[in-house]
């Protein structure tokens, strides 16, 4: 299939990057990361939202942008308003916020949502008068009106999910570009969000899948991918072998505290009954002694 | 009637004196009549509770263990005095306790017998009591509690009876003018005791076995009772020292109860020769000892969470120290424990009358201490209490509840009265055996 053809060389690279990643413990920056752009226009509102997030999550180390009052760490966190920082592409900035950097800069992938991370980028950019945001195709502008098809390919070894979004209105599958796809996993109570990703020219969005999500006895998880806007939406769900193998041990099936008598811990039953027997036995013995006295006196 | 040589071995003076209290006189009848009327009133209160449900009490969803449960803990605690006096002190060879062993045993039997009933009063469906035995679980502390309370009562009762047997045989000689049925019962229960050496050997062995057995049993009964709380993760109950904490507290309340009883029997039964000043002095010292141990546990139990101040422990301690329960808490600690202990350090205080007063203070303190242990913890659970009527938040016992709580106390008094009126309160044969128990070292 087309998708696989495109992704094969990518996975060679991925293999490499995983082994490098294991060495440095931090994900390496790729070109596609660098070129990543926000899916919305930076506005005053997004900057204000970004400021709040920044103050909550970043200020303790990076200080107030433009004031150079960052913490004295080694390496220094640096001032986000500085030229160095502003030289980063939006994609790079987003990447570091998402995945962290070096030993000190923490990763925020699981702490702040994707759009909030872009809000922070918007806020940091507000200190750069020369900044012009790259042309974005807004997710809301993506035409999702045709006969949509969303297909997931799962790469178990690489822990990667690739989504392909196409429109086959005229009988030919045409990729849909710049659409946001959300991936989540079905859990007991609701869906666990895995991430969002934009489709590229080929209608492909790629997700790195966490390695530590518990699955069922076979390690299967139910993936749910979603794309859509106000006018149209599509979602698919599919079982994928991406989870940890979890064989649930049912507490009530084994002997344990809080179980019915038939399944109470043996040591407990034995202790209880033997203590009871011992005390009962001693009492019986004393009673027999009394009987002996009585019989002695009958004669 | 030919009495065996056994009764002739008992000095007439001791026998007549000690049996003179076995006497169902008019005072006894008036007192029992009064208690019966009171008990009937309590039964009526319980009837209302049965008819209308536990809603007539102050217990609600949050404080679901009110004064019934604290009363239960108090009863179990007080019953431990039997084990302390007869076993711990008695087995250690101290002869001075002989005159009070039977009183202690009677207190133990009375409180243990009624403790079970106190629990029943807390049950919404007492008709399902048998389910505890039919469907009880080995893993349930309630199940152990029922087991040990029953066994402890059985052992205490047996011990009381076994130590009574020789005295029962003496009845024929010393109870001449008492009702026929009483003599008949004495005769029947005495198992035809003749006082031979072999009999004594068997008897003493049995007593010894029971005295030893009762020690682990008494520890079990109160440790398990403490586990009803400590097996719970709630702030205030979540403690590893509740077992010894409860046991030491039990000795305090039991001994204070014994002190009051001693004073009462000394005065009313005219037993000054037997329940001597020296005896009071010794019991006073014993109370100081157990109180110091208890104070030690109290300090430990409060200072350890107080230093760490984990959120919920802090809320609990605040309520105790300066909050809603602070007046009760500090009164209990100061007047029910610290002041009596300090006063009892002084010899002039260890006299019958001051000890009666201190005994009352300690006993009342002990009752309210159980309240402090049981109730406040439930008023601040881990999950916030929301959208409930005010009476759900703060527990206040109702009149009916108080009556139902007084009921068991009346029963205890009745049991003690009957037992001490039907049988000599001081073991006659042991007193004879050890002479007029010499002053102890």
């Amino acid at each position: 299939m087309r998708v696989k053809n495109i992704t094969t060389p990518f996975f060679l690279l991925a293999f490499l990057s995983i082994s490098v990643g294991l060495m440095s413990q931090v994900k390496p920056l790729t070109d596609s990361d660098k070129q990543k752009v926000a899916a919305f226009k930076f506005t005053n509102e997004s900057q204000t939202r970004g400021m709040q997030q920044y103050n909550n999550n970043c200020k303790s180390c990076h200080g107030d942008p433009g004031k150079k009052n960052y913490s004295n760490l080694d390496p220094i966190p640096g001032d986000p308003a500085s030229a160095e920082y502003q030289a980063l592409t939006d994609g790079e900035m987003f990447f570091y916020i998402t995945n962290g950097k070096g030993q000190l800069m923490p990763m925020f992938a699981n702490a702040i949502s994707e759009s909030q991370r872009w809000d922070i980028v918007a806020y940091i950019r507000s200190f750069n008068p020369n900044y012009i945001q790259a042309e974005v195709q807004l997710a809301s502008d993506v035409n999702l009106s045709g006969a949509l098809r969303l297909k997931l390919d799962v790469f178990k070894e690489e822990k990667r999910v690739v989504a392909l979004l196409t429109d086959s209105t005229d009988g030919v599958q045409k990729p849909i570009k710049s659409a946001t796809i959300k991936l989540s996993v079905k859990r007991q109570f609701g869906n666990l969000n895995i991430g969002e990703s934009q489709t590229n020219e080929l209608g492909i969005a790629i997700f790195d899948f966490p390695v530590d999500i518990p699955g069922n006895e076979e390690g299967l998880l139910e993936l749910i991918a979603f794309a859509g806007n106000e006018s149209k939406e599509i979602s698919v769900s599919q079982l994928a072998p991406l989870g940890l193998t979890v064989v649930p041990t049912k507490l009530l099936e084994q002997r344990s505290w809080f179980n019915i008598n038939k399944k109470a811990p043996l040591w407990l039953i034995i202790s209880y009954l033997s203590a009871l027997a011992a005390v009962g036995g001693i009492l019986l013995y004393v009673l027999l002694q009394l009987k002996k006295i009585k019989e002695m006196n009958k004669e | 009637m030919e009495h065996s040589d056994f009764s002739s071995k008992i000095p007439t003076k001791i026998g007549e004196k000690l049996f003179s209290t076995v006497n169902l006189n008019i005072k006894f009848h008036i007192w029992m009549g009064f208690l019966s009327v009171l008990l009937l009133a309590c039964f009526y209160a319980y009837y209302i509770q049965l008819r209308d449900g536990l809603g007539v009490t102050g217990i609600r969803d949050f404080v679901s263990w009110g004064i019934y449960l604290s009363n239960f803990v108090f009863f179990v605690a007080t019953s431990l005095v039997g084990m302390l006096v007869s076993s711990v002190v008695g087995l250690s060879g101290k002869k001075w306790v002989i005159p009070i062993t039977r009183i202690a045993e009677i207190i133990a039997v009375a409180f243990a017998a009624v403790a079970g009933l106190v629990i029943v009063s807390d049950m919404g469906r007492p008709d399902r009591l048998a389910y505890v035995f039919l469907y009880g679980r080995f893993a349930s502390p309630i199940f152990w509690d029922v087991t040990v309370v029953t066994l402890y009562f059985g052992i205490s009762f047996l011990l009381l009876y076994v130590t009574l047997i020789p005295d029962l045989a003496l009845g024929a000689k010393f109870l001449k003018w008492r009702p026929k049925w009483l003599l008949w019962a004495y005769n029947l229960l005495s198992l035809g005791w003749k006082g031979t050496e072999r009999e004594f050997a068997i008897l003493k062995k049995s007593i010894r076995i029971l005295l030893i057995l009762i020690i682990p049993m008494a520890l079990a009964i109160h440790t398990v009772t403490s586990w009803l709380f400590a097996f719970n993760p709630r702030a205030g109950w979540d403690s590893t020292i509740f077992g010894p904490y409860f046991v030491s507290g039990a000795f305090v309340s039991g001994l204070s109860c014994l002190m009051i009883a001693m004073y009462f029997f000394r005065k009313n039964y005219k037993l000054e020769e037997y329940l001597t000043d020296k005896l009071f002095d010794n019991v006073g010292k014993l109370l100081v000892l157990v109180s110091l141990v208890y104070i030690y546990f109290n300090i430990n139990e409060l200072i350890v969470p107080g230093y760490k101040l984990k959120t919920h422990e802090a809320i609990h301690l605040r309520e105790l120290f300066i909050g809603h329960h602070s007046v009760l808490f500090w009164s209990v600690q100061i007047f029910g424990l610290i002041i009596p202990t300090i006063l009892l350090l002084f010899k002039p205080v260890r006299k019958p009358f001051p000890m009666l007063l201190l005994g009352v203070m300690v006993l009342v303190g002990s009752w309210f201490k159980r309240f402090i242990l049981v109730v406040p913890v439930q008023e601040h659970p881990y999950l916030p209490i929301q959208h409930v009527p005010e009476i759900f938040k703060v527990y206040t016992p109702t009149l009916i509840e108080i009556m139902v709580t007084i009921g068991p106390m009346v029963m205890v008094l009745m049991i003690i009265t009957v037992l001490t009126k039907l049988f000599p309160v001081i073991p006659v044969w042991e007193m004879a055996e050890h002479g007029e128990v010499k002053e102890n070292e």
Side-chain angles (χ1 to χ4, degrees), chain A residues 261 272 282 285 289 296-297, chain B residues 136-138 147 192 199 205:
Chain A
N261 274 348
Y272 178 88
I282 295 174
Y285 176 79
Q289 297 301 306
M296 257 163 53
N297 290 326
Chain B
R137 290 192 182 181
F138 292 119
T147 312
E199 279 175 302
K205 187 166 80 181

Side-chain angles (χ1 to χ4, degrees), chain A residues 257-261 264 268-269 272-273 276 279 282-283 285-287 289-290 292-294 296-297, chain B residues 136-139 143-144 147 151 155 158 161 165 191-194 198-199 202 205-206 209-210 213 217:
Chain A
W257 290 101
F258 311 118
N259 216 333
I260 52 172
N261 274 348
L268 183 66
I269 302 179
Y272 178 88
L273 292 179
L276 197 65
V279 176
I282 295 174
L283 286 182
Y285 176 79
V286 171
L287 288 175
Q289 297 301 306
L290 296 183
K292 207 156 131 193
I293 294 182
K294 189 168 166 95
M296 257 163 53
N297 290 326
Chain B
R137 290 192 182 181
F138 292 119
F143 187 54
W144 310 337
T147 312
L151 286 178
I155 299 173
L158 198 57
Y161 172 58
I165 291 175
L191 307 178
W193 179 268
K194 294 207 176 62
R198 255 192 79 204
E199 279 175 302
I202 297 176
K205 187 166 80 181
S206 303
I209 290 174
L210 288 174
L213 179 64
M217 219 53 228

Side-chain angles (χ1 to χ4, degrees), chain B residues 229-306:
Chain B
F229 303 93
F231 276 10
N232 217 295
R234 285 177 170 226
W237 289 346
D238 184 6
S239 160
T240 57
I241 63 158
F242 253 38
Y245 179 43
F246 271 45
V247 170
S248 59
F251 290 156
V252 174
S253 69
L255 271 185
S256 63
C257 182
L258 178 68
M259 268 160 40
I260 299 170
M262 280 165 65
Y263 182 85
F264 177 84
F265 293 127
R266 177 185 151 106
K267 276 265 134 45
N268 276 39
Y269 289 21
K270 313 260 175 324
L271 292 173
E272 288 87 348
E273 276 170 75
Y274 295 89
L275 303 174
T276 56
D277 280 13
K278 178 69 191 159
L279 191 63
F280 274 84
D281 187 67
N282 281 332
V283 173
K285 284 181 193 158
L286 195 57
L287 183 63
V288 169
L289 174 68
V290 294
S291 296
L292 287 176
V293 175
Y294 192 43
I295 290 173
Y296 160 76
F297 274 116
N298 266 288
I299 293 173
N300 187 77
E301 185 57 22
L302 295 168
I303 210 164
V304 172

Side-chain angles (χ1 to χ4, degrees), chain B residues 27 40 54 97 219 247 257 279 288 290 296 340 345 380 433:
Chain B
K27 261 159 111 190
L40 276 181
L54 280 171
V97 291
L219 289 180
V247 170
C257 182
L279 191 63
V288 169
V290 294
Y296 160 76
L345 286 173
H380 22 264
E433 192 176 278

